[in-house]
Amino acid sequence: MASIVAFCWFAASSIAAVIEGAPLDSLGMLVAATAASVVARALTQAALDGLAARGAARVKSQLRRRAIEAIDRGGSASLGSRSSASLATVIGPGLDAMDGYVGLYLPQLILTAVATPIVVGVLLLADPATGIAVMVTLPLIPVFMVLIGWATQAMQRSQWEALQSLSQGFLEVVRGLSTLTIFGRQHRQTTRIEAVTDAYRTRTMKVLRVSFLSSFALELAASLSVAVVAVSVGVRLIDGAIPFALGLFVLILTPEAYLPLRLVGARYHAAADGIAASDDVLDLIATGADARLARAAPPAPETPRDGEAYDVALALRGVTVERAGRAVVSGLDASWRHGSVVAITGPSGTGKSTLVAAILGFVPAGGRVLLAGRAVPADERLTRIAWAGQTPELTSGSLEEVVTLGSEHPDPALVARALALAGTLDVPLTTVLGPAGQGLSGGQAQRVAIARAVYRALERDLGTIVLDEPTSALDAEAEERVVRGLRTLAGEGRLVVVVTHRPALVAAADVVLDLGSASARARLEARGPEVVAR
Amino acid sequence: MTRVDIRPVLRAAQPPLGALAPALALGALAAGSSVALLATSAWLIARAAEQPPILFLGFAIVGVRAFAIGRAVLRYLERVAGHDAALRALAGLRVSVFRRLVPVAPDGLRATRSGDVLTTVVQDVDALQDLPLRVVQPLVSAAIVAGLAVVGVAWVSPQAALVLAIGLAVTAAAATAVLAALSRDAERRISPLRADLADAVLEYVSRWETLRAFGADGERREALLALDARLRRAQSRQSAAAGAVAALVTLGGGAMLIATLLAVQPELASGALSGPELAMLVLLPLAVIEVVGALPSAVGAWWRVRTSAERIATVVPEHVPAEIPLAPEHPRALPPIGQPGASSLRLAGVAAHWPGDARPALAPLDLELHPGDRVVLEGPSGAGKTTLAHVLVRFLEHEGRYELGGVDVRELHPDEVRRRVVLLEQHPHLFDESIRQNLIFARDTASEDELLAVLERVGLGEWAVERGGLDAPVGERGRLVSGGQAQRIALARALLCDAPVLVLDEPTANVDADRSEALLEELLGAAAGPERAVLVISHAPVPDRLVTRRVRIRPAR
């Protein structure tokens, strides 16, 4: 700051001295001082910029970390209402939009708060008339900005939402391009994208026209002030009221009083996106916190029951799951032994997947879930049960990396065994999967997902394996291989629970739980809590 | 990254010069006003110090005010004009990227990473807006203003002009050199890191349940945050470079001020230059350097634009791979639907392979399909059943002969083929919209009743009512519907489209066994008739009574 004032002073003095006819050699000190102040100013500037940017990067990383932690806490609750693409946009590029806000805007705002009073103070001391003129005009600028800002805030917000829906819309179109092509709708999308982007342009321009007004007001105030100062100083110079050097000094310094504020204005646009983006991220973080509260609802007290058969791997006691206020599963009792294959079956919508989610602890459920006779809290069940969901949900990496997901010391021998048990002999071991596990056919992906669950069961010696529709995409031969694998696993003393509608798999099961048949519950009740292996 | 031709992408991003001219002219005028404002003010004060009658200053006073207002007004107009031109170009760019996608999709895009498409669309296309806005415009206006300033100064004092020209050139060169040394490398690393981070975030978010179930969420989170840290370091380095350049510009301005003062002092002493002129000449560089200060950021923007353009050009190939059918130059027309033989399909020795994979995916196959046929195609997974489906709808090019209505399909427009042959995909795409929106595009003239009727036909009538009707959301990739229901929506879509040939690729994969037969029956029942042929691809057994013929294929390798 001081370097700016010093530079203006020494530069003005040097010029005045020269014009007033001082010989060059008498200027040495002044010129040297000017040069020194320039260097000092340059160094300060570089240091400030660097610090600000580093701070911005740190804030961004922190927000990213917290957003991810929010997803961890919120889980599928935070995914339910948002698409993964929009979440990924918020956490990825969305946060990058904050660069402008945290990296440029905020530091400049702080700098302005510090620098402007100093410059105004110096001006007041040097030339009270100019100082007062600047003091009067400066506060007008923020007032204008706030007024215009109010008018544009809502528009900025809608622009960010438009950007988001646009980003999603485009990805949707790209993802669904083959479906669209089948119905001959791919060309119409071109028109749609054109129309949407043009609408986006129109909307953005509407916002920009207004938001540029704030910086217009700023620029106008700043440059008019310079003009006013120049004219007033000029008039007073004619009267000889102030010395020439002082007049020149005031002229050079006046723009510096407005510069920080002008930069704030200039950076405000870059910041606007960031403000909207930060809102989104903060929303997400808040959602995560809410979800945590929801999850932390007191679990039903679970106590082991006396006389529970020792060989029961998984027991359900009055398990009830509600979805949207409706009981999907109610009061279900079952006991399944080690060494058996259990098939849960029934038409769509009868709660097969919901029951699995309750067993695994994904959804809050009433009643108790006992593993090997012991009540296990919902969030610990996944350490005791190996699981493969309805969709393969593979990750990226080599086949071995994919299969050994979550393993700290991958064991190639176990990988081979797991793959064999899942009947994946037609998938080359050298396969490398793309992001989100792309690159395999539906049937191959399904068996790799089974292998992943089997590997986990083998490595950690888990007593229970739960597979949701493991053979839905397989042909009869491949299904037969999977069935053999599952029977082998059961033969080793594990409990294998499959949700399925495939007759071959149902036929291979020791116990069948049919959620669809109206009499299912009655039958279960009639046979008591123990559904024994046949 | 292999060298790709980025010129088509850049051309699409760059508005025509005519569209950009207003913004360029306004930008140059605005910057010129800013320079003129300082020069006139300096002259005014220096002249006033000589205490002339105030009348002599009238012209300068008017000039100062005019330039002050002009600067703000012109700047505003320039920004509006520039952004408008850039956004107009964006619409064209988006469409041109999509147009490149259309002929290649879906099978020419297999190597495309979904995360990359996301980045390409959201970031790269947006980044390309900077080409007119932050590269071309500032560079051209800066060049105009710098040139005019040098010429104007030369008119008053050649020495000062020389100092100004050299000072501008040296500052600009030094700034560019600093950027090239410090920032270019960081910039190169930032883009791939951003893409990797976007991929990692997408995988983490979309696979969250699985990662957690396998206890791999912590490890993935750490990996993701490590990526973020690397990105942060690269960005810090880049901004350090930006700070250094800003400092350089300040230094350059100061140095030019001192150098000009020293250079023109002898002229003042000799009387060739008046005091006010000297004040003007000496202060002018401070205003001109502000214009040059825009140069480095333009260079940075150019690197970003180029990287983005390269990525777009790579992700979306300009030239359609040989395995993807193209529309012939003069497509033939098919005889109208309903004419005998117009919708018969005949394959003779048809084989196929996927782009980038020379191994055959489908062994030579002969097949005839006539209206009224209901054929089931069986075979183990990997035998090429889906490949055949893609060949039938011309997603994939084939060897051998494939005739539709007696015409070689290579002579037909692929869209024309798809009007006759409709594929129900194994993984049909459900749009993140309402049930209605997910059906209507198959036949946009379908009435409310027809939509409800078709839902009823695939066994979703009750479900649709329960959910709240046709306007209930489907959810992203069917997140809010179960696997079986999602398949049925897709089935309903295929049924709505009244094509003479239906190819069903595993329609019952996610439908309950006890309903799959009924569904096949409904579907085949709906399709049955003298005018329609149905090919069902299935790994699950299809009862004999539902089909008229069975075809079995064997793996090609």
Side-chain angles (χ1 to χ4, degrees):
Chain A
M1 212 9 71
S3 58
I4 293 176
V5 177
F7 167 70
C8 294
W9 174 250
F10 291 126
S13 304
S14 313
I15 295 169
V18 168
I19 289 176
E20 277 153 11
L24 264 188
D25 37 349
S26 70
L27 290 174
M29 281 304 290
L30 276 177
V31 169
T34 311
S37 57
V38 165
V39 171
R41 188 181 175 189
L43 289 179
T44 328
Q45 203 171 0
L48 272 177
D49 279 7
L51 275 180
R54 214 153 298 161
R58 205 167 301 141
V59 168
K60 212 167 61 179
S61 286
Q62 219 154 22
L63 278 175
R64 196 163 270 151
R65 177 186 286 269
R66 290 190 54 189
I68 285 164
E69 282 166 0
I71 292 178
D72 290 347
R73 289 195 304 265
S76 31
S78 61
L79 291 176
S81 56
R82 291 155 184 268
S83 63
S84 51
S86 91
L87 268 183
T89 308
V90 167
I91 301 174
L95 269 175
D96 284 332
M98 290 188 67
D99 279 352
Y101 178 59
V102 191
L104 295 175
Y105 180 70
L106 282 186
Q108 190 60 49
L109 204 61
I110 294 164
L111 195 64
T112 305
V114 177
T116 311
I118 297 178
V119 175
V120 173
V122 171
L123 279 174
L124 266 176
L125 283 178
D127 180 29
T130 305
I132 290 167
V134 171
M135 254 174 69
V136 171
T137 50
L138 260 181
L140 287 179
I141 296 174
V143 171
F144 271 123
M145 295 225 5
V146 168
L147 286 177
I148 296 170
W150 272 345
T152 54
Q153 193 101 59
M155 292 174 97
Q156 296 283 10
R157 180 78 216 178
S158 72
Q159 185 206 0
W160 170 247
E161 274 161 13
L163 174 77
Q164 274 220 312
S165 74
L166 219 63
S167 100
Q168 219 168 303
F170 206 96
L171 186 70
E172 275 270 293
V173 172
V174 172
R175 272 187 184 155
L177 191 51
S178 63
T179 302
L180 290 165
T181 306
I182 285 170
F183 293 99
R185 289 300 190 267
Q186 75 275 35
H187 304 298
R188 190 173 294 190
Q189 299 307 311
T190 315
T191 336
R192 193 175 117 181
I193 292 167
E194 227 160 27
V196 166
T197 312
D198 205 54
Y200 173 70
R201 174 185 66 84
T202 319
R203 192 174 325 165
T204 310
M205 283 316 296
K206 243 183 232 162
V207 174
L208 288 184
R209 258 181 221 115
V210 180
S211 37
F212 286 162
L213 274 183
S214 61
S215 46
F216 166 68
L218 230 147
E219 290 250 356
L220 191 64
S223 54
L224 270 183
S225 306
V226 174
V228 167
V229 168
V231 171
S232 96
V233 167
V235 170
R236 278 178 295 141
L237 274 172
I238 294 176
D239 297 343
I242 51 168
F244 174 47
L246 185 65
L248 209 52
F249 168 63
V250 167
L251 177 72
I252 308 176
L253 190 58
T254 305
E256 298 290 347
Y258 295 93
L259 185 67
L261 207 54
R262 270 175 64 202
L263 288 177
V264 167
R267 290 167 180 185
Y268 181 74
H269 302 298
D273 267 357
I275 294 172
S278 70
D279 278 358
D280 258 359
V281 173
L282 294 176
D283 267 4
L284 174 65
I285 293 172
T287 314
D290 289 350
R292 180 174 49 175
L293 289 179
R295 286 197 146 199
E302 300 183 42
T303 45
R305 178 182 282 194
D306 290 335
E308 188 73 72
Y310 177 72
D311 62 347
V312 169
L314 175 66
L316 309 178
R317 297 275 171 264
V319 169
T320 300
V321 193
E322 287 189 359
R323 275 214 165 155
R326 193 169 65 89
V328 182
V329 175
S330 67
L332 187 70
D333 288 319
S335 296
W336 295 320
R337 294 176 192 281
H338 286 290
S340 58
V341 174
V342 175
I344 302 175
T345 183
S348 296
T350 49
K352 300 191 298 284
S353 296
T354 306
L355 177 59
V356 165
I359 291 174
L360 295 167
F362 287 158
V363 295
R368 284 169 300 152
V369 175
L370 309 178
L371 288 172
R374 207 169 299 155
V376 177
D379 53 354
E380 281 172 30
R381 287 192 206 131
L382 285 170
T383 61
R384 311 274 301 270
I385 304 175
W387 164 71
Q390 207 170 64
T391 47
E393 301 263 305
L394 298 181
T395 49
S396 58
S398 72
L399 190 61
E400 181 175 310
E401 281 166 3
V402 171
V403 170
T404 59
L405 182 70
S407 162
E408 274 160 31
H409 306 289
D411 177 348
L414 273 189
V415 171
R417 177 141 196 265
L419 286 168
L421 282 170
T424 54
L425 298 173
D426 57 331
V427 183
L429 273 169
T430 51
T431 310
V432 175
L433 281 73
Q438 292 167 355
L440 291 179
S441 82
Q444 289 173 331
Q446 194 165 38
R447 281 167 294 156
V448 170
I450 298 172
R452 188 173 61 184
V454 170
Y455 177 84
R456 190 170 165 86
L458 294 176
E459 190 193 45
R460 299 176 178 231
D461 199 21
L462 304 179
T464 305
I465 303 174
V466 177
L467 307 171
D468 196 349
E469 300 281 9
T471 59
S472 60
L474 303 184
D475 60 79
E477 284 167 44
E479 182 173 37
E480 180 50 36
R481 284 202 297 274
V482 171
V483 167
R484 272 203 301 275
L486 297 184
R487 291 260 34 133
T488 307
L489 286 164
E492 288 169 3
R494 283 174 236 278
L495 166 66
V496 179
V497 179
V498 292
V499 171
T500 190
H501 59 260
R502 298 284 293 249
L505 204 45
V506 173
D510 303 305
V511 180
V512 177
L513 172 60
D514 185 354
L515 292 175
S517 92
S519 59
R521 198 159 306 119
R523 202 174 60 231
L524 277 170
E525 277 158 11
R527 289 169 69 176
E530 305 269 319
V531 179
V532 192
R534 64 184 175 209
Chain B
M1 202 178 274
T2 48
R3 294 287 334 147
V4 287
D5 188 7
I6 60 170
R7 278 169 304 180
V9 179
L10 291 181
R11 262 199 303 276
Q14 178 62 32
L17 204 62
L20 211 53
L24 283 178
L26 289 166
L29 282 174
S33 299
S34 169
V35 173
L37 174 63
L38 187 64
T40 322
S41 323
W43 186 88
L44 169 68
I45 287 179
R47 181 79 181 98
E50 295 173 359
Q51 305 191 335
I54 195 163
L55 280 175
F56 284 31
L57 295 178
F59 195 64
I61 290 173
V62 171
V64 165
R65 287 176 182 158
F67 288 133
I69 296 170
R71 183 177 76 166
V73 171
L74 291 167
R75 176 75 63 213
Y76 174 80
L77 293 176
E78 177 220 353
R79 297 175 82 181
V80 170
H83 278 83
D84 192 61
L87 281 168
R88 268 179 211 282
L90 176 70
L93 173 69
R94 245 186 198 137
V95 168
S96 93
V97 169
F98 188 74
R99 284 220 173 103
R100 273 172 75 139
L101 266 170
V102 166
V104 214
D107 292 342
L109 285 179
R110 291 189 104 208
T112 305
R113 296 156 52 179
S114 164
D116 251 355
V117 172
L118 184 81
T119 337
T120 301
V121 174
V122 179
Q123 292 185 320
D124 290 344
V125 172
D126 279 353
L128 283 181
Q129 276 187 84
D130 286 353
L131 178 61
L133 205 59
R134 295 191 219 290
V135 180
V136 174
Q137 220 174 288
L139 286 185
V140 174
S141 345
I144 294 174
V145 171
L148 286 180
V150 170
V151 170
V153 168
W155 188 50
V156 181
S157 156
Q159 282 96 326
L162 193 67
V163 171
L164 184 63
I166 293 174
L168 287 173
V170 169
T171 313
T176 313
V178 165
L179 281 172
L182 281 179
S183 159
R184 189 172 199 171
D185 181 49
E187 189 74 59
R188 273 215 190 103
R189 261 179 298 157
I190 283 173
S191 298
L193 277 174
R194 273 211 171 121
D196 286 352
L197 186 66
D199 279 349
V201 167
L202 190 64
E203 180 163 303
Y204 188 80
V205 171
S206 66
R207 297 287 180 263
W208 185 82
E209 269 181 2
T210 302
L211 291 175
R212 215 175 115 72
F214 284 81
D217 51 335
E219 166 205 320
R220 289 294 163 122
R221 188 172 50 239
E222 289 317 310
L224 207 160
L225 293 174
L227 259 180
D228 177 70
R230 278 173 64 200
L231 180 64
R232 188 177 66 217
R233 276 196 297 277
Q235 280 173 333
S236 294
R237 215 175 116 107
Q238 191 186 27
S239 41
V245 167
L248 256 178
V249 169
T250 304
L251 271 182
M256 274 155 72
L257 182 138
I258 295 170
T260 312
L261 185 66
L262 297 180
V264 298
Q265 192 271 344
E267 286 186 74
L268 181 81
S270 71
L273 211 60
S274 69
E277 281 168 342
L278 178 131
M280 189 179 80
L281 292 179
V282 173
L283 287 183
L284 192 100
L286 289 185
V288 179
I289 201 84
E290 231 179 84
V291 180
V292 179
L295 261 170
S297 76
V299 173
W302 164 239
W303 288 334
R304 279 195 297 280
V305 162
R306 203 174 52 181
T307 316
S308 294
E310 260 170 25
R311 203 160 35 228
I312 290 177
T314 311
V315 165
V316 193
E318 192 183 13
H319 302 291
V320 179
E323 289 85 355
I324 305 304
L326 278 174
E329 241 168 76
H330 304 288
R332 282 179 58 180
L334 275 173
I337 297 174
Q339 198 170 306
S343 303
S344 286
L345 190 152
R346 201 173 70 82
L347 305 181
V350 164
H353 64 272
W354 294 87
D357 187 355
R359 295 174 302 171
L362 173 68
L365 176 77
D366 298 332
L367 178 73
E368 279 195 34
L369 212 53
H370 298 287
D373 279 354
R374 294 192 302 277
V375 177
V376 59
L377 185 78
E378 295 164 315
S381 69
K385 299 193 297 283
T386 297
T387 308
L388 175 67
H390 283 217
V391 164
L392 289 178
V393 292
R394 300 285 284 149
F395 278 175
L396 202 58
E397 194 51 88
H398 57 273
E399 295 113 55
R401 192 167 172 87
Y402 167 17
E403 281 176 12
L404 187 63
V407 183
D408 187 330
V409 290
R410 290 201 184 89
E411 293 173 33
L412 296 169
H413 196 288
D415 284 350
E416 179 69 20
V417 175
R418 288 191 280 264
R419 259 193 285 281
R420 300 289 168 101
V421 185
V422 165
L423 171 67
L424 171 57
E425 298 158 283
Q426 199 167 352
H427 298 291
H429 187 81
L430 289 182
F431 292 90
D432 195 1
E433 288 180 63
S434 64
I435 299 173
R436 182 198 308 278
Q437 291 302 321
N438 267 287
L439 294 177
I440 199 90
F441 69 85
R443 179 152 58 92
D444 46 17
T445 55
S447 68
E448 185 100 3
D449 289 343
E450 283 173 305
L451 293 178
L452 288 172
V454 82
L455 282 174
E456 191 68 47
R457 214 149 78 195
V458 295
L460 285 178
E462 218 175 284
W463 169 85
V465 171
E466 229 171 68
R467 284 196 70 92
L470 290 171
D471 294 314
V474 161
E476 190 201 14
R477 279 182 294 154
R479 228 192 134 76
L480 300 177
V481 300
S482 78
Q485 284 150 349
Q487 278 286 342
R488 279 177 222 195
I489 292 176
L491 267 180
R493 204 146 62 184
L495 281 180
L496 264 179
C497 181
D498 233 358
V501 182
L502 284 184
V503 179
L504 313 181
D505 190 3
E506 308 282 7
T508 60
N510 280 308
V511 178
D512 319 312
D514 55 346
R515 280 224 196 166
S516 81
E517 243 185 74
L519 193 64
L520 271 175
E521 211 163 348
E522 280 166 349
L523 187 58
L524 292 167
E531 282 120 40
R532 194 172 292 141
V534 182
L535 180 71
V536 184
I537 292 172
S538 180
H539 62 264
V542 177
D544 273 337
R545 65 189 162 82
L546 294 182
V547 292
T548 57
R549 196 150 37 101
R550 316 186 83 93
V551 175
R552 188 156 182 90
I553 61 173
R554 280 277 145 213
R557 48 177 188 234

